[in-house]
């Protein structure tokens, strides 16, 4: 029954997911210590919500435009449920903005499979990753995904290997000039975020620990399910799926090494995981299995969200 509702892309499905996102976002804001206390605060909240909505449409675009999933609403549904696992994401604007720019990078890297405008796409993806790194420094590690994409699609042209460095230099130049003009403290802040922390001692309650445990179990299942069935996928899409798998593991590394660690930092793994989850359900012929997997995902997501309000 649940799978029947989301197995198609319809305005009703999209409206339902968007409505749920808005409801969850407002619930988080109203449970925060201070909310909508001023016009400036309200503008900030609206801006964050707008970026989240834009992120959903980019996720949907990446999945459908590049043939990574069938014509369903599962990608944005799974993306929403992953957000629900860690509702603190709704209160961390820097991670939301960083993830938004990473999604733009994913969009360019996923489109490399058609081999058109390769250099432009590599530069755009590298530039978006560098911009994301201004909000969360260790997002810079996603440049490795650019080089992985070069290996898959355009390794013979040596100039392609230099493009990420050009994008990095461009971003740093503009950032330093802007910091010198507006606020030199930006540079200090960026340097501070380059520190690392490998400890997992940030939990403030058992629910956060449980949410992380659920996430680990679900992600391991879906990621390794894709790894073991990758050879059965269409040859033209295998490189794209591999990029999603590598992107997931890079996101995990970003989480593991980041300072001021929190469950919210796992947001960088949500796009690849949402696509892998969707692929798992769509290519299963067992209706009961589909209902159980999606039902459990919804149950875990909603339970985790309301338990952490």
């Amino acid at each position: 029954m649940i799978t029947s509702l989301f197995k198609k892309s319809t305005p009703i499905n999209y409206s339902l997911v968007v409505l749920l996102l808005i409801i969850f976002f407002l619930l988080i804001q109203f449970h925060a210590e201070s909310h909508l206390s001023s016009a400036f605060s309200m503008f900030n909240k609206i801006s964050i919500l707008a970026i989240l909505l834009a992120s959903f449409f980019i996720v949907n675009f990446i999945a459908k435009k590049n043939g990574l999933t069938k014509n369903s609403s599962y990608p944005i549904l799974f993306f929403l449920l992953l957000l629900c696992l860690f509702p603190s994401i709704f209160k961390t604007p820097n991670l939301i903005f960083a993830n938004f720019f990473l999604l733009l990078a994913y969009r360019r890297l996923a489109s490399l499979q058609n081999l058109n405008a390769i250099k432009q796409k590599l530069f755009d993806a590298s530039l978006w990753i560098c911009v994301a790194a201004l909000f969360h420094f260790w997002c810079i590690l996603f440049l490795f995904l650019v080089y992985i994409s070069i290996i898959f699609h355009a390794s013979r042209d040596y100039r392609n290997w230099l493009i990420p460095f050009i994008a990095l230099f461009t971003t740093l130049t503009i950032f330093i000039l802007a910091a010198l003009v507006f606020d030199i403290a930006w540079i200090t802040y960026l340097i501070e975020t380059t520190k690392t922390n490998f400890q997992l001692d940030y939990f403030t309650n058992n629910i956060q620990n449980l949410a992380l445990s659920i996430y680990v179990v679900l992600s391991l299942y879906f990621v390794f399910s894709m790894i073991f069935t990758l050879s059965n996928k269409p040859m033209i899409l295998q490189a794209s799926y591999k990029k999603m798998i590598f992107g997931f593991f890079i996101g995990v590394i970003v989480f593991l090494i980041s300072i001021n660690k929190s469950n919210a930092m796992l947001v960088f793994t949500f796009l690849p995981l949402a696509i892998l989850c969707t692929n798992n359900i769509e290519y299963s012929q067992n209706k009961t299995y589909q209902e159980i997997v999606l039902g459990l995902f919804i149950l875990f997501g909603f339970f985790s969200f309301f338990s952490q309000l």
Side-chain angles (χ1 to χ4, degrees):
M1 179 179 179
I2 304 176
T3 54
S4 300
L5 177 62
F6 291 98
K7 70 179 181 180
K8 298 291 184 182
S9 292
T10 66
I12 295 177
N13 293 347
Y14 291 130
S15 300
L16 178 59
V17 174
V18 168
L19 179 62
L20 287 173
L21 171 64
I22 294 174
I23 291 173
F24 291 147
F25 180 82
L26 292 177
L27 285 173
I28 289 292
Q29 303 310 318
F30 282 117
H31 279 79
E33 293 183 2
S34 61
H35 55 275
L36 305 183
S37 57
S38 65
F40 180 73
S41 177
M42 183 178 295
F43 175 78
N44 284 344
K45 303 301 182 185
I46 293 175
S47 299
I48 295 170
L49 180 58
I51 291 296
L52 282 171
L53 290 171
S55 298
F56 271 66
F57 287 105
I58 295 174
V59 168
N60 187 67
F61 179 88
I62 293 171
K64 303 297 184 349
K65 182 71 173 180
N66 301 285
L68 295 173
T69 65
K70 297 180 181 179
N71 189 29
S72 69
S73 304
Y74 291 139
I76 58 173
L77 175 62
F78 280 119
F79 194 81
L80 173 66
L81 295 175
L82 288 167
L83 286 173
C84 290
L85 272 179
F86 309 121
S88 59
I89 295 172
F90 291 102
K91 297 182 288 185
T92 49
N94 60 314
L95 297 182
I96 292 174
F97 279 93
N99 188 62
F100 172 74
F101 290 114
L102 285 182
L103 292 178
L104 293 176
Y106 269 112
R107 173 180 171 270
R108 298 302 275 170
L109 293 177
S111 65
L112 282 171
Q113 65 185 23
N114 61 26
L115 300 180
N116 293 328
I118 290 178
K119 289 180 176 58
Q120 180 181 344
K121 292 175 181 178
L122 290 174
F123 178 81
D124 290 347
S126 301
L127 187 66
W128 290 131
I129 291 170
C130 292
V131 173
L134 298 179
F135 292 91
H136 186 77
F137 174 77
W138 287 112
C139 287
I140 200 71
L141 294 180
F142 279 91
L143 285 178
F144 284 110
L145 192 59
V146 177
Y147 282 109
I148 290 170
S149 300
I150 292 173
I151 292 172
F152 287 152
H153 302 289
S155 60
R156 295 182 179 180
D157 190 340
Y158 74 92
R159 291 171 296 182
N160 293 333
W161 297 87
L162 302 176
I163 291 176
F165 290 102
I166 297 173
L168 178 61
F169 177 78
T170 302
T171 306
L172 278 177
T173 301
I174 295 175
F175 172 73
I176 292 173
L177 287 175
L180 293 175
V181 172
F182 296 103
D183 190 350
I184 198 169
W186 293 354
I187 299 176
T188 304
Y189 170 78
L190 186 63
I191 293 174
E192 285 294 318
T193 60
T194 62
K195 297 178 181 178
T196 58
N197 175 21
F198 294 91
Q199 296 181 348
L200 293 175
D201 56 357
Y202 59 87
F203 301 108
T204 58
N205 56 62
N206 291 331
I207 296 298
Q208 290 182 355
N209 198 340
L210 177 61
L212 180 61
S213 300
I214 292 172
Y215 167 85
V216 170
V217 172
L218 291 174
S219 59
L220 286 176
Y221 174 74
F222 288 110
V223 171
F224 283 97
S225 175
M226 171 58 75
I227 292 174
F228 292 134
T229 61
L230 187 60
S231 60
N232 298 327
K233 305 300 180 186
M235 186 64 67
I236 193 174
L237 294 176
Q238 288 187 15
S240 295
Y241 287 128
K242 288 177 183 177
K243 282 183 280 187
M244 292 298 153
I245 294 171
F246 279 113
F248 170 82
F249 284 113
I250 292 173
V252 171
I253 293 172
V254 170
F255 162 74
L256 290 175
I257 69 175
S258 294
I259 195 171
N260 299 324
K261 197 182 278 57
S262 71
N263 285 345
M265 290 183 182
L266 288 166
V267 68
F268 304 130
T269 67
F270 286 3
L271 168 67
L273 194 53
I275 289 177
L276 299 183
C277 293
T278 299
N279 198 267
N280 181 277
I281 283 187
E282 287 183 336
Y283 283 91
S284 172
Q285 301 300 317
N286 190 324
K287 186 72 173 179
T288 303
Y289 169 81
Q290 294 175 340
E291 293 285 350
I292 291 175
V293 170
L294 188 56
L296 286 175
F297 222 116
I298 292 174
L299 176 63
F300 291 147
F302 280 37
F303 171 78
S304 179
F305 179 86
F306 288 104
S307 297
Q308 296 180 68
L309 281 181

